[in-house]
Amino acid sequence: DLVGEPEPESAPMVAPPSVGGGEDWGFIKSGSCNHNNLLGEGAGCKGVYRLENPVTREAFAVKLVERQLHFNAESKHSFEREVAVFNRLRHPGVCRLRTVVSEPEYHLLVVELCEGNELFDKVVNGALGEEDARGYFTQILSAVDYCHSQNVYHRDLKLENVLLKDTVSNIIKVSDFGMAKDTNVSSMPKTKRIGTIAYMAPEVADAESGYNGAAVDVWSMGVMLYVMVVCNYPFGHDGDGGDHTRTVLARIRSGTFAFPRHVRLSDDIQDLIKGMLTVDPTQRITIAEIRQHPWIGGAMDGPAEEDMPAVIDWDSAPPPQGLRGTPSLDHVMSGDTDFDDDAGFNFDDEEDGFQ
């Protein structure tokens, strides 16, 4: 689903146990990852596996990433970004990184496990009603608003990257920050296009100059909301059963879409979606304006961090073990498995492909 040329290489729910002191991650091993506990496959990794702490019985999602000999420039940058971003974010609507375990052949990213599959699976067989869609959308909005407050822009928001925490609570978690950028606005990728075509903003499709990461995420959220209530893409999609990529991009650039007559939608939700799918990013509705939109109905009046159920005590939970200062990937790649508390990711904007 992701497009773009490789970037140039540069040098009852309970809180999980504390990861700051005393947590034993010895059960996290690549040898325990096999087809019997495979959760899924993804770009830039061998797979995501379900591993369980034999003492506490708490389960985790473990992303198995091959080390330096198997890295190309694109996957190396993606891995660095994902660890750096994951380590910073503390919000109930964002999947939480618990630790990183390094072996000679693999890095293992240990992440909060979501057992409820992708939000896409809730929609694929039929559109959601507005009330259900609002419940999911306000959670996504809260998580994205928080990320933006931390200068983190996802850049690949889609229903497939929103996970349900379990099968009963309808609590969502935004995931997959491999395409995220930890920076201020006006980022310009040398890859020209980054993200998934059906959710791609027109300014990213053109990618002739820097663009506003917050506005790009708003556009993708507009596509997500449309898909939730229509069970189709506003501009179509490429790939299997879809249209040619050039056709989809032309529709995105034009900003022309319609609401099917057979789908009954309120004037408020249509107005909100139109505001998010405005071609000119300077005229597009902002996160702050979405929070005050009539369709949201006052559901977002409180601080972003408090809109969601307190699944985990984020204030008291310490950062993941060994990532208190986020490790330098040069240090990690060297083969050391002990992280340097004072080390930090040092992304050079020019080298990383952004102006």
Side-chain angles (χ1 to χ4, degrees):
D1 285 342
L2 301 178
V3 298
E5 301 171 359
E7 298 178 3
E9 186 171 5
S10 63
M13 190 173 296
V14 296
S18 169
V19 298
E23 181 74 18
D24 183 4
W25 297 105
F27 66 96
I28 301 295
K29 300 175 182 178
S30 61
S32 301
C33 300
N34 55 64
H35 69 277
N36 292 320
N37 57 4
L38 178 66
L39 295 174
E41 299 176 349
C45 72
K46 185 175 181 180
V48 180
Y49 301 84
R50 185 185 192 277
L51 294 184
E52 188 176 281
N53 186 317
V55 177
T56 67
R57 313 311 300 178
E58 182 180 6
F60 302 90
V62 178
K63 185 173 184 178
L64 197 61
V65 182
E66 293 178 296
R67 294 190 63 145
Q68 187 173 9
L69 291 177
H70 305 279
F71 274 162
N72 58 34
E74 184 178 12
S75 62
K76 180 174 183 290
H77 279 288
S78 176
F79 174 69
E80 290 175 340
R81 278 197 216 97
E82 189 167 16
V83 174
V85 169
F86 256 145
N87 188 54
R88 290 188 55 183
L89 300 179
R90 293 288 186 278
H91 187 275
V94 176
C95 278
R96 183 185 177 196
L97 175 69
R98 297 299 301 274
T99 193
V100 177
V101 175
S102 291
E103 296 179 349
E105 190 173 355
Y106 297 103
H107 296 303
L108 296 89
L109 276 67
V110 183
V111 181
E112 177 184 6
L113 178 65
C114 294
E115 303 267 23
N117 296 323
E118 302 168 352
L119 184 54
F120 179 83
D121 296 326
K122 283 276 189 180
V123 181
V124 68
N125 292 320
L128 302 178
E130 285 191 40
E131 286 304 312
D132 289 338
R134 181 170 19 242
Y136 292 124
F137 183 80
T138 53
Q139 293 182 69
I140 296 167
L141 177 59
S142 176
V144 173
D145 189 11
Y146 167 78
C147 290
H148 289 185
S149 75
Q150 303 299 307
N151 287 331
V152 171
Y153 306 94
H154 193 285
R155 303 194 302 173
D156 193 27
L157 286 171
K158 54 185 177 181
L159 294 178
E160 294 89 333
N161 284 342
V162 177
L163 306 179
L164 291 161
K165 175 61 180 174
D166 51 53
T167 58
V168 295
S169 68
N170 291 325
I171 294 173
I172 64 92
K173 303 279 181 175
V174 177
S175 68
D176 199 348
F177 285 83
M179 294 293 107
K181 182 62 180 175
D182 181 7
T183 183
N184 291 321
V185 297
S186 298
S187 293
M188 169 59 189
K190 290 181 180 178
T191 55
K192 302 300 182 185
R193 297 192 192 119
I194 195 166
T196 303
I197 294 293
Y199 293 85
M200 184 176 291
E203 62 268 31
V204 180
D206 291 331
E208 295 298 331
S209 60
Y211 54 76
N212 183 306
V216 166
D217 281 351
V218 166
W219 175 281
S220 298
M221 291 168 60
V223 176
M224 294 168 74
L225 183 56
Y226 183 99
V227 175
M228 278 192 267
V229 296
V230 174
C231 194
N232 207 343
Y233 296 96
F235 307 102
H237 68 94
D238 61 339
D240 294 343
D243 300 307
H244 194 283
T245 299
R246 285 196 296 266
T247 301
V248 179
L249 290 174
R251 292 176 188 149
I252 290 172
R253 292 186 181 101
S254 73
T256 303
F257 70 97
F259 297 100
R261 294 181 180 179
H262 68 276
V263 180
R264 281 190 167 186
L265 296 173
S266 67
D267 291 340
D268 281 344
I269 193 173
Q270 291 187 51
D271 178 74
L272 176 57
I273 292 173
K274 289 176 182 177
M276 290 189 285
L277 298 183
T278 298
V279 171
D280 184 350
T282 66
Q283 300 300 312
R284 194 173 300 154
I285 192 172
T286 65
I287 291 283
E289 291 168 338
I290 295 172
R291 290 174 69 91
Q292 300 303 317
H293 193 276
W295 188 75
I296 300 299
M300 305 294 293
D301 288 341
E305 296 88 334
E306 297 178 2
D307 287 333
M308 303 278 296
V311 179
I312 296 175
D313 184 357
W314 302 100
D315 291 331
S316 63
Q321 184 180 35
L323 290 177
R324 290 181 289 279
T326 57
S328 163
L329 256 292
D330 288 336
H331 177 74
V332 175
M333 299 290 183
S334 70
D336 291 330
T337 56
D338 294 322
F339 294 96
D340 182 354
D341 289 348
D342 296 324
F345 284 100
N346 182 18
F347 293 127
D348 184 295
D349 283 347
E350 181 178 354
E351 289 294 331
D352 196 31
F354 292 83
Q355 300 173 349

